[in-house]
């Protein structure tokens, strides 16, 4: 009798645990957020701007998607201690009601930005990393989702911009070309700005 009772209890527990594991596995929301291979620093509205392109590769919506971008760099204190400091980067917009296709995160590099005056050499020297985290709610399963991406110093490109993915078809409708998601082009505005600055410095 004891053996039969134990067998019944263990069987019920095993069935319940197996059912819960299978249900949790198949109902778990796994977001497919794609990030561009490189982050770029380009000229936008006349100001240098850190731009990070990302996109939702599924047909669902991520409701109330929120982005947070953090800069991590190596610093030395007055006492000579070395540590890695985390600095939040202010975005022009850090939340979108529904993430459907693509989204470009923008951080304007002004005199209050930790990237002000930075160049590839300084990023490498300070071992700079840009860390992005995206959180939101899957509109199908109503479960929270999150994804994270890290760019090291060599993956932050100066003087480049992302290729435009939107084009106009003959019928006037917009067409989204995802093959250009990672494509980079020389930022002509940045080149012209540097040339003008060099000319002004030479004239002065």
């Amino acid at each position: 009798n004891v053996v039969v009772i134990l067998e019944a209890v263990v069987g019920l527990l095993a069935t319940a645990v197996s059912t819960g594991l299978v249900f949790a596995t198949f109902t778990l929301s796994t977001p497919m957020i794609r990030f561009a291979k490189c982050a770029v620093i380009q000229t936008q509205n006349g100001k240098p701007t850190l731009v990070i392109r990302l996109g939702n590769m599924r047909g669902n919506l991520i409701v109330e998607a929120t982005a947070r971008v953090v800069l991590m760099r190596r610093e030395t204190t007055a006492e000579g201690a070395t540590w890695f400091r985390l600095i939040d980067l202010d975005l022009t917009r850090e939340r979108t009601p529904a993430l459907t296709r693509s989204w470009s995160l923008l951080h304007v590099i002004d005199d209050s930005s930790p990237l002000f005056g930075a160049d590839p050499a300084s990023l490498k020297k300070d071992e700079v990393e840009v860390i992005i985290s995206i959180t939101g709610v899957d509109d199908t399963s109503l479960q929270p989702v999150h994804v994270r991406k890290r760019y090291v110093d060599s993956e932050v490109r100066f003087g480049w911009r992302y290729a435009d993915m939107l084009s106009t078809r003959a019928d006037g409708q917009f067409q989204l070309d995802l093959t250009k998601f990672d494509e980079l082009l020389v930022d002509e505005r940045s080149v012209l700005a540097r040339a003008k600055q060099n000319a002004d410095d030479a004239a002065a």
Side-chain angles (χ1 to χ4, degrees), residues 12 26 48 54-55 62 71 84 88 96 109 130 142 155 158 162 170 179:
L12 289 174
F26 283 97
L54 59 96
I62 297 181
L71 178 77
F84 287 89
D88 292 327
T96 179
I109 303 176
V130 178
L142 299 181
E155 295 173 327
F158 286 77
Y162 294 118
T179 61

Side-chain angles (χ1 to χ4, degrees), residues 78-193:
E79 294 76 18
T82 300
W83 63 304
F84 287 89
R85 182 182 177 189
L86 297 176
I87 307 173
D88 292 327
L89 298 183
D90 295 329
L91 302 177
T92 57
R93 184 172 183 84
E94 62 182 15
R95 181 179 291 105
T96 179
L99 178 56
T100 55
R101 299 190 183 104
S102 64
W103 185 16
S104 294
L105 306 178
L106 306 177
H107 167 70
V108 179
I109 303 176
D110 51 20
D111 55 1
S112 63
S113 170
L115 288 172
F116 183 74
D119 55 25
S122 65
L123 295 189
K124 183 176 181 179
K125 176 184 177 182
D126 296 335
E127 301 181 30
V128 169
E129 295 183 8
V130 178
I131 304 171
I132 306 99
S133 61
I134 306 294
T135 57
V137 178
D138 186 280
D139 73 327
T140 302
S141 63
L142 299 181
Q143 290 186 352
V145 295
H146 59 87
V147 66
R148 180 177 176 272
K149 173 67 177 178
R150 179 176 67 100
Y151 291 104
V152 297
D153 59 273
S154 60
E155 295 173 327
V156 180
R157 307 291 299 274
F158 286 77
W160 295 81
R161 64 178 178 86
Y162 294 118
D164 295 331
M165 295 190 298
L166 282 178
S167 59
T168 306
R169 300 186 305 190
D171 58 0
Q173 298 294 323
F174 287 108
Q175 177 176 326
L176 182 66
D177 186 2
L178 291 178
T179 61
K180 297 182 179 181
F181 190 86
D182 295 313
E183 183 178 346
L184 299 180
L185 302 175
V186 176
D187 185 15
E188 299 87 356
R189 292 162 294 187
S190 178
V191 173
L192 293 176

